[in-house]
């Protein structure tokens, strides 16, 4: 028996890994495409020794053995090279000779992925496919006095408002009217130039421009924290863009410099205080992705990790910080642009909201729930930190109802919307719970970029710049795989289909003349506790 | 579906005119209830113009309690129209002890009060009595306001009229009569769910279904105005939005129409008053109704009006002749109310229209949202 060699605590077999690569020797042509495409080099060409017994059918020759070799695929078991399940190998294999399969047992990799004392960091979402939003049904179907509307032929007004709305009672007494944008209620949430590849970013921007200018859908896109390409800042398309400022202030030198040359005001300014994927943690762009272009736009050296601080430098208290930053940003654009904070879903959201309610310059509150996605975060933050969005939004809305300001401060909900593909249903549920609009990021990557990430811990390597689809990579060899024109087409596809589905939801409820914000009587759920918590109907 | 008839006439008429019109429209309602709103009163009540009139249904104990309470507050009865029907009520109608319409003198301490304060206190008294009555079902209070009478009951309108002996009652003649047939069946049967609804001189009744009811209700109740309560029917919000428009926004009927059924964003862009309309649409966004509804109402100055929702429209027609006009949910109701009118001048408002007849009763005014 051959010795097995040295066994260390972290010696794992393919069986111990979350994804196991199955390879079929009979089908394999040894073309090498799979090993070339694997983003984490989980597989390599293997030269296998094989012993063959030779038993001649005569008595003159003695039986013997022949040693031969064959070539094939080996799966590495080093935690640094563990298969991520992206299945790019299967995608490129001409013969369907290889595929990853999910291990049935709980993997052992999770106990060894902190090599060097570094906890796991990754991209993606919380690794949990469950979603309360998916459980919510729309139960108030117009069947009696009000026949259901025709989603295909009826006219619908489904725009929402982004901006501070003044109290109706003070109509005609307003000294200053805050800027308000009439926009589409599905917003592309902040994914930075840097987190996303140039091709993905370009595709999104093209798609958004097309939706606005050819399809009449006033779709808006947030930049995330990474600045904005100089040409876009100086273009008429800036009006479709929400510029985000976060605690690292990346890219804001460039934005401030571009101010005098801007042809249009941006749609809004989003001040990021937190995000759902890593609440209480700052943004993170790992060094792998900080190339020359990203460094230039962000105003930083190349090849260094860019962890934003968890808080803004100005932050002494949330009240002071929000007030100061909203004031500064409002002043920069002459009070013509709505400015609003984005926070992580948290049980302290109401404190922030109440503070905003008293600040008449605050244009909205965006809340990003625990299922929000990210380009890079610690696994522990992704999986365990944060507040579910449904009850957070509901509480916030009902709190506004209590103080009579439900129309004055729009609540924007984010985090896990459409994570199981039910984008319109999830968005409509949140709107009826009280959100004025919803933001999606990961869904955009999946539907428009072809992102392979999933909540069973598939792929999720957005952080290291090796995205096999070129969505979150800054390596031209990878991002050139992604055709921006095709991304733009998919952006248009997904918004048009979302629009139809949203109508298919609101039409049977008899709603068409305004977005049914807070129409909670339309909602039901078969979980009694959830129904009680969300103040909606319990239905079985 | 509800059937509605509203008549405005220079000469006071009997509420039976409206009830008979409801009866010919019976095909469309199930006879499950009747609401009557009378204002600009003729008959005996005319001599008490300016004094508050309380309308309601009472148990005998409730009536005693009412008397005790009202005198403790300094109100004194000036006139009382009270009927305690004998015999069995019509099928579906609960047996009640007493229906009363009582005119009070203001308490002496109210004399020096401003009009606004007096109106506020009248509403608060009505709400207090309503709440008191709800505890043991001893009182149902529908209105407490000068020159206004409200009668509501569950049952078939014609049978109820017989039962209550409304035929031939000269006292109840009025120049403005609003009547609705059919209890609210969208939610539980509740006498307070019966149209017309009333608050501080504003009354409306509606047919259709208000699909945006819950957010509108939440918006109104969060105004912290004590009168914005009830909502046993999704149609009560139309009355309160009308009140909100006048009392809080200090705007008129045109604004009411723009609030409940604003022009679309694209239409507003083409409107001469686009900036104001956009602002109004933004600040009153939770009050946008989503119909389909036809709203018939009456303002404190006795202007009667009709508006439609902006998408599917319920039936609604106005017609008549100088001196008398009627607003009806059905053509046959209008025919029954004013058969001698020139039918070619009947008008059915569409989604942009508001139609109104002022207290002069000389013409039907048609106003479109596209006008300045």
């Amino acid at each position: 028996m051959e010795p097995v060699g040295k066994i260390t605590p972290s010696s794992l077999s393919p069986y111990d890994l979350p994804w196991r690569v199955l390879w079929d020797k009979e089908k394999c042509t040894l073309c090498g495409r799979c090993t070339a495409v694997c983003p984490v080099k989980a597989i390599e060409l293997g030269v296998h020794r094989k012993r063959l017994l030779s038993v001649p059918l005569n008595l003159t020759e003695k039986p013997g053995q022949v040693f031969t070799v064959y070539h094939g695929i080996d799966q590495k078991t080093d935690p640094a090279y563990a298969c991520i399940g992206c299945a790019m190998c299967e995608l490129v294999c001409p013969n369907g000779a290889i595929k990853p399969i999910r291990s049935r047992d709980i993997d052992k990799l999770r106990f060894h992925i902190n090599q060097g004392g570094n906890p796991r960091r990754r991209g993606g979402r919380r690794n949990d496919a469950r979603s309360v939003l998916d459980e919510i049904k729309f139960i108030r179907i117009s069947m009696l006095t009000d026949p259901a509307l025709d989603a295909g032929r009826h006219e619908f007004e489904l725009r929402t408002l982004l901006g501070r709305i003044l109290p109706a009672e003070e109509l005609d007494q307003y000294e200053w009217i805050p800027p308000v944008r009439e926009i589409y209620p599905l917003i592309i949430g902040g994914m930075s130039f840097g987190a996303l590849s140039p091709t993905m970013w370009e595709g999104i921007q093209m798609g958004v421009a097309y939706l606005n200018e050819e399809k009449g859908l006033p779709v808006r896109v947030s930049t995330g924290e990474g600045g904005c390409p100089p040409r876009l800042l100086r273009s008429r398309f800036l009006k479709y863009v929400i510029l985000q400022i976060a605690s690292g202030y990346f890219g804001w030198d460039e934005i401030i410099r571009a101010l005098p040359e801007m042809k249009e005001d941006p749609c809004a300014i989003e001040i990021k205080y937190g995000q759902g994927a890593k609440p209480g943690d700052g943004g993170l762009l790992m060094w792998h992705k900080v190339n020359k272009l990203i460094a230039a736009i962000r105003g930083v050296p190349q090849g260094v990790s860019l962890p934003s601080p968890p808080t803004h430098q100005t932050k002494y208290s949330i009240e002071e910080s929000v007030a100061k930053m909203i004031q500064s940003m409002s002043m920069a654009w002459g009070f013509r642009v709505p400015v609003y904070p984005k926070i992580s879903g948290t049980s302290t959201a109401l404190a922030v909201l109440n503070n905003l309610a008293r600040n008449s310059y605050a244009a909205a509150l965006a809340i990003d729930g625990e299922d929000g996605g990210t380009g890079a975060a610690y696994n522990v933050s992704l999986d365990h930190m944060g507040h579910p969005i449904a009850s957070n939004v509901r509480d916030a809305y009902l709190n506004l109802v209590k103080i009579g300001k439900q129309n004055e401060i729009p609540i924007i909900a984010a985090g896990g919307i459409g994570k199981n593909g039910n984008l319109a249903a999830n968005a409509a549920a949140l709107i009826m719970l009280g959100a004025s609009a919803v933001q999606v990021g990961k869904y955009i990557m999946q539907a428009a970029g072809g992102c392979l990430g999933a909540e069973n811990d598939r792929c999720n390597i957005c952080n290291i710049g090796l995205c096999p689809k070129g969505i979150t990579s800054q390596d031209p060899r990878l991002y050139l795989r992604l055709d921006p024109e095709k991304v733009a087409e998919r952006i248009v596809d997904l918004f048009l289909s979302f629009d139809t589905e949203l109508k298919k939801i609101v039409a049977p409820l008899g709603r068409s003349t305004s977005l049914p914000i807070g129409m909670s009587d339309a909602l039901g759920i078969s979980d009694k506790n959830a129904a009680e918590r969300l103040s909606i109907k319990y239905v079985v | 579906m509800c059937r509605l008839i509203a008549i405005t006439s220079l000469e006071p008429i009997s509420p039976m005119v409206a009830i008979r019109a409801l009866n010919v429209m019976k095909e469309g309602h199930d006879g499950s209830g009747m609401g009557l709103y009378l204002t600009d009163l003729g008959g005996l009540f005319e001599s008490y113009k300016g004094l508050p009139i309380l309308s309601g249904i009472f148990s005998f104990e409730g009536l005693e309690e009412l008397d005790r309470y009202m005198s403790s507050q300094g109100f004194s009865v000036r006139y009382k129209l009270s009927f305690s029907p004998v015999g069995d009520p019509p099928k579906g109608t609960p047996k009640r002890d007493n229906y009363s319409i009582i005119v009070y003198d203001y308490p002496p301490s109210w004399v020096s009060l401003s009009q606004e304060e007096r109106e506020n206190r009248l509403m608060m008294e009505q709400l207090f009595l309503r709440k008191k009555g709800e505890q043991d079902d001893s009182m149902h209070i529908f209105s407490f306001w000068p020159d206004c009478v409200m009668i509501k009951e569950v049952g078939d309108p014609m049978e109820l009229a017989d039962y209550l002996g409304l035929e031939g009652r000269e006292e109840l003649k009025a120049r403005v009569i609003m009547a609705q047939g059919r209890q609210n069946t969208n939610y539980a049967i509740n006498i307070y769910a019966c149209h017309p609804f009333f608050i501080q001189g504003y009354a409306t009744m509606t047919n259709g279904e208000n699909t945006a009811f819950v957010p509108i209700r939440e918006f109104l109740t969060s105004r912290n105005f004590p009168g914005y309560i009830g909502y046993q029917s999704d149609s009560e919000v139309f009355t309160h939005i009308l009140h909100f428009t006048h009392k809080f926004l200090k705007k008129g009927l045109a604004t009411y129409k723009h609030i409940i059924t604003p022009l679309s964003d694209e239409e507003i862009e083409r409107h001469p008053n686009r900036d104001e309309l956009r602002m109004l649409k933004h600040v009153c966004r939770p009050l946008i109704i989503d119909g389909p509804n036809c709203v018939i109402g009456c303002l404190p100055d006795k202007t009667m009006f009709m508006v439609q929702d902006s998408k599917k429209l319920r039936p609604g027609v106005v017609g008549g002749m100088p001196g008398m006009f009627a607003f009806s949910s059905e053509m046959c109701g209008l025919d029954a109310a004013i058969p001698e009118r020139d039918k070619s001048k009947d008008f059915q408002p569409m989604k942009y229209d508001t139609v109104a007849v002022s207290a002069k009763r000389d013409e039907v005014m048609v106003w479109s949202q596209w006008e300045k």
Side-chain angles (χ1 to χ4, degrees):
Chain A
M1 186 178 164
E2 286 183 57
V4 293
K6 193 176 168 191
I7 291 184
T8 68
S10 296
S11 294
L12 302 173
S13 74
Y15 182 80
D16 297 322
L17 302 177
W19 296 92
R20 191 163 192 192
V21 179
L22 295 189
W23 167 72
D24 186 337
K25 181 173 174 250
E26 292 304 313
K27 291 185 184 172
C28 181
T29 62
L30 296 177
C31 66
R33 288 184 198 180
C34 54
T35 50
V37 81
C38 179
V40 292
K41 312 232 177 303
I43 45 177
E44 60 188 347
L45 178 70
V47 181
H48 305 270
R49 191 174 76 141
K50 192 172 169 83
R51 185 178 72 166
L52 292 175
L53 289 177
S54 170
V55 187
L57 295 175
N58 56 56
L59 296 174
T60 54
E61 290 173 67
K62 288 189 174 176
Q65 51 189 340
V66 178
F67 285 93
T68 177
V69 295
Y70 70 93
H71 297 89
I73 299 300
D74 275 348
Q75 178 175 5
K76 295 183 196 168
T77 56
D78 182 328
Y81 299 99
C83 171
I84 54 170
C86 70
M88 287 300 286
C89 49
E90 188 174 5
L91 185 77
V92 298
C93 180
N95 285 5
I98 188 167
K99 65 179 174 189
I101 57 160
R102 178 87 202 175
S103 297
R104 272 186 305 182
D105 284 358
I106 293 172
D107 64 83
K108 295 291 178 286
L109 178 68
R110 64 187 63 190
F111 303 108
H112 300 278
I113 204 161
N114 53 357
Q115 300 290 312
N118 291 314
R120 182 183 180 199
R121 284 164 289 182
R122 65 176 177 90
R125 282 203 192 101
R126 190 168 71 102
N127 273 326
D128 187 342
R130 289 173 299 172
S131 163
V132 168
L133 297 177
D134 283 344
E135 303 301 316
I136 294 176
K137 309 161 203 294
F138 304 95
I139 55 169
R140 194 195 181 285
I141 310 301
S142 292
M143 280 288 134
L144 196 63
T145 315
D146 180 23
L149 299 167
D150 184 334
R153 280 167 281 212
H154 196 81
E155 285 177 8
F156 289 83
E157 283 253 318
L158 297 174
R159 291 182 186 186
T160 194
L161 301 178
L162 174 59
R164 184 58 171 257
I165 315 294
L166 293 168
E169 291 87 340
E170 291 166 23
L171 193 70
D172 294 343
Q173 301 162 33
Y174 304 142
E175 289 176 1
W176 171 67
I177 298 168
V180 174
R181 310 290 196 227
E182 292 167 354
I183 64 168
Y184 198 69
L186 179 65
I187 300 168
I188 301 179
M191 294 178 286
S192 70
F193 193 97
L196 293 187
S197 66
T199 42
M200 185 66 190
W201 236 75
E202 190 184 355
I204 291 175
Q205 296 295 339
M206 280 196 290
V208 166
Y210 187 88
L211 285 164
N212 276 278
E213 303 195 353
E214 296 297 326
K215 292 291 173 188
L217 285 189
V219 175
R220 300 294 180 261
V221 51
S222 167
T223 57
E225 182 194 19
C228 187
R231 280 209 307 172
L232 181 56
L233 285 171
R234 290 164 179 82
S235 78
R236 65 187 167 88
F237 303 110
L238 186 63
K239 58 179 178 283
Y240 309 137
V241 174
I242 296 168
L243 294 174
Q244 188 187 83
I245 182 164
S247 55
Y249 307 110
F250 293 122
W252 274 79
D253 275 355
E254 188 62 46
I255 292 172
I256 298 298
R257 260 198 293 271
L259 258 171
E261 294 159 28
M262 286 181 188
K263 293 190 184 74
E264 296 271 357
D265 287 332
C267 166
I269 308 297
E270 182 176 74
I271 307 169
K272 182 185 140 192
Y273 285 91
Q275 72 180 87
K278 43 184 167 181
D281 218 349
L284 174 61
L285 189 70
M286 290 177 71
W287 62 267
H288 315 75
K289 296 166 77 168
V290 186
N291 64 11
K292 192 176 173 187
L293 176 65
I294 303 304
I297 288 178
R298 295 194 173 206
V300 294
Q302 278 188 65
V304 294
S305 285
L306 303 177
S308 299
T311 62
H312 286 264
Q313 301 303 304
T314 54
K315 189 165 159 185
Y316 168 69
S317 68
I318 186 84
E319 290 93 339
E320 186 195 4
S321 172
V322 168
K324 275 184 181 169
M325 289 198 67
I326 289 178
Q327 195 76 8
S328 309
M329 288 294 137
S330 296
M331 282 172 71
W333 273 274
F335 293 87
R336 301 185 309 272
V337 176
V339 182
Y340 67 91
K342 172 188 172 184
I343 60 167
S344 323
T346 162
S347 56
T348 61
L350 292 189
V352 180
L353 183 63
N354 283 327
N355 175 245
L356 296 181
R358 291 187 288 270
N359 177 350
S360 58
Y361 296 101
L365 175 64
I367 307 176
D368 192 8
E370 62 167 352
D371 282 336
T374 182
Y378 282 90
N379 185 61
V380 68
S381 301
L382 276 160
D383 279 355
H384 302 285
M385 302 296 291
H387 196 295
I389 191 61
S391 59
N392 226 184
V393 158
R394 188 71 178 140
D395 289 351
Y397 177 75
L398 291 178
N399 182 65
L400 288 177
V401 168
K402 207 164 159 187
I403 58 174
K405 289 181 182 289
Q406 65 268 48
N407 188 47
E408 295 170 31
I409 306 170
I411 298 165
I412 302 167
I417 299 161
K419 78 181 203 182
N420 292 316
N422 307 311
L423 182 63
N426 291 175
L430 281 166
I431 286 167
M432 290 179 211
L433 288 172
S436 283
V438 297
Q439 284 185 337
V440 284
K442 181 72 172 175
Y443 187 95
I444 298 292
M445 287 167 56
Q446 290 171 317
C451 165
L452 305 166
E455 285 66 56
N456 58 347
D457 207 4
R458 185 173 170 201
C459 199
N460 290 345
I461 53 160
C462 330
N463 55 325
I464 50 173
L466 296 176
C467 174
K469 288 294 193 83
I471 301 164
T472 60
S473 173
Q474 302 305 331
D475 183 341
R477 290 169 299 180
L478 294 174
Y479 70 64
L480 287 176
R481 290 175 183 173
L482 198 63
D483 180 351
E485 299 278 351
K486 297 287 179 202
V487 172
E489 275 179 34
R490 290 294 301 142
I491 290 282
V492 174
D493 287 349
L494 89 87
F495 270 91
L496 294 183
S497 66
F498 172 86
D499 196 54
T500 302
E501 285 200 338
L502 188 59
K503 288 172 185 168
K504 283 281 177 193
I505 292 169
V506 299
L509 308 180
R511 296 299 306 266
S512 67
T513 53
S514 64
L515 195 66
I517 298 165
M519 189 190 177
S520 53
D521 55 325
L523 303 179
I525 193 164
S526 59
D527 177 333
K528 203 163 192 172
N529 292 327
E532 193 182 332
R533 182 68 184 78
L534 298 174
S535 305
I536 61 175
K537 280 202 179 73
Y538 166 56
V539 288
V540 284
Chain B
M1 196 168 77
C2 302
R3 289 294 183 267
L4 314 171
I5 179 81
I7 306 170
T8 179
S9 163
L10 275 178
E11 288 303 315
I13 56 167
S14 163
M16 286 310 295
V17 180
I19 293 170
R20 273 192 282 272
L22 276 186
N23 200 45
V24 300
M25 296 192 280
K26 193 172 173 177
E27 200 176 292
H29 67 80
D30 55 6
S32 58
M34 176 187 73
L36 261 184
Y37 171 67
L38 314 176
T39 185
D40 207 353
L41 299 170
L44 251 172
F45 287 101
E46 190 162 19
S47 47
Y48 302 108
K49 251 194 172 101
L51 296 183
I53 306 172
L54 187 128
S55 307
I57 303 176
F58 303 87
S59 66
F60 291 128
E61 296 76 25
L63 207 52
E64 280 172 25
E65 180 57 31
L66 175 76
D67 286 343
R68 261 199 306 276
Y69 175 77
M70 293 305 274
S71 48
S72 77
Q73 295 303 104
F75 287 99
S76 51
V77 176
R78 282 289 294 276
Y79 175 73
K80 186 171 184 175
L81 177 62
S82 182
F83 25 101
S84 297
V86 287
D88 292 333
K91 196 179 168 196
T93 304
K95 177 81 181 154
R96 316 270 195 189
D97 289 345
N98 179 271
Y99 299 80
S100 277
I101 300 160
I102 309 169
V103 186
Y104 289 97
D105 252 337
Y106 283 111
S109 59
W110 286 33
V111 175
S112 56
L113 296 180
S114 66
Q115 179 71 11
E116 194 183 342
E117 178 57 21
R118 201 180 281 192
E119 290 182 354
N120 183 44
R121 289 197 186 188
L122 279 179
M123 184 188 73
M124 294 308 289
E125 294 292 359
Q126 181 189 335
L127 296 177
F128 177 81
L129 289 168
R130 172 174 169 167
K131 199 169 175 193
K132 204 174 173 64
E134 273 171 348
Q135 289 163 7
D136 55 2
D137 237 14
S138 60
M139 296 184 227
H140 295 97
I141 310 294
F142 304 124
S143 60
F144 185 36
W145 202 254
D147 198 22
C148 293
V149 168
M150 189 82 91
I151 298 169
K152 291 183 178 183
E153 189 48 283
V154 181
D156 177 80
M158 205 63 196
E159 289 175 10
L160 280 173
D162 283 345
Y163 175 62
L164 299 175
L166 299 183
E167 186 80 68
R169 274 202 184 269
E170 288 296 310
E171 310 98 300
L172 288 178
K173 280 192 168 176
R175 295 176 185 84
V176 168
I177 297 172
M178 288 168 59
Q180 185 251 14
R182 182 176 183 258
Q183 250 285 357
N184 180 2
T185 49
N186 297 344
Y187 300 90
I189 296 283
N190 180 312
I191 193 79
Y192 282 120
C194 184
H195 314 211
F197 300 101
F198 177 84
I199 184 169
Q200 294 194 318
Y202 298 88
T204 70
M205 55 188 183
T206 317
N207 64 11
E209 185 175 3
N210 178 11
T211 48
F213 169 55
V214 166
I216 297 176
R217 181 188 65 191
E218 281 173 347
F219 185 82
L220 288 167
T221 50
S222 64
R223 299 307 93 196
N224 286 326
F225 182 72
Y228 295 160
I229 60 152
Y231 307 118
Q232 279 79 10
S233 160
D234 59 13
S235 292
E236 192 160 15
V237 299
F238 297 112
T239 321
H240 293 176
I241 299 172
L242 182 66
H243 178 271
F244 181 78
T245 307
H246 282 81
K247 293 285 187 182
F248 286 83
L249 308 187
K250 316 282 184 215
K251 304 281 183 185
L253 205 51
T255 304
Y256 177 64
K257 174 67 176 157
H258 275 303
I259 288 174
I260 61 173
T261 65
L263 296 174
S264 70
D265 294 344
E266 287 75 18
E267 288 170 334
I268 285 177
E269 278 307 306
R270 290 183 276 128
H271 197 282
N273 301 105
R274 60 180 161 273
D275 291 341
E276 293 156 50
L277 292 185
R278 194 182 300 113
M279 170 64 73
L280 188 70
K281 186 173 179 180
H282 287 179
V283 302
C284 294
R285 179 173 53 155
L287 297 178
I288 297 173
I289 67 169
D290 218 335
N293 292 111
C294 171
V295 184
I296 297 175
C298 184
L299 304 178
D301 68 1
K302 315 306 174 197
T303 298
M304 189 176 275
F305 70 90
M306 177 189 282
V307 291
Q308 293 279 7
D309 78 280
S310 59
K311 54 177 185 185
K312 286 191 299 194
L313 316 178
R314 295 282 100 178
V317 59
V318 56
M321 55 208 177
M324 189 177 185
F325 291 90
F327 296 64
S328 174
S329 60
E330 306 288 308
M331 198 67 84
C332 60
L334 184 56
D335 288 344
I338 314 178
E340 64 276 27
R341 74 194 190 284
D342 178 356
K343 289 185 186 180
S344 67
K345 292 188 176 157
D346 288 353
F347 185 77
Q348 297 188 35
M350 291 292 134
K351 68 176 191 175
Y352 298 120
D353 303 323
T354 302
V355 292
V357 174
S358 75
K360 289 186 200 161
R361 283 97 177 173
D362 52 353
E363 60 174 344
V364 177
M365 295 172 287
V366 180
W367 175 82
S368 161
Q369 277 180 280
W370 283 102
E371 291 171 34
K372 261 191 153 181

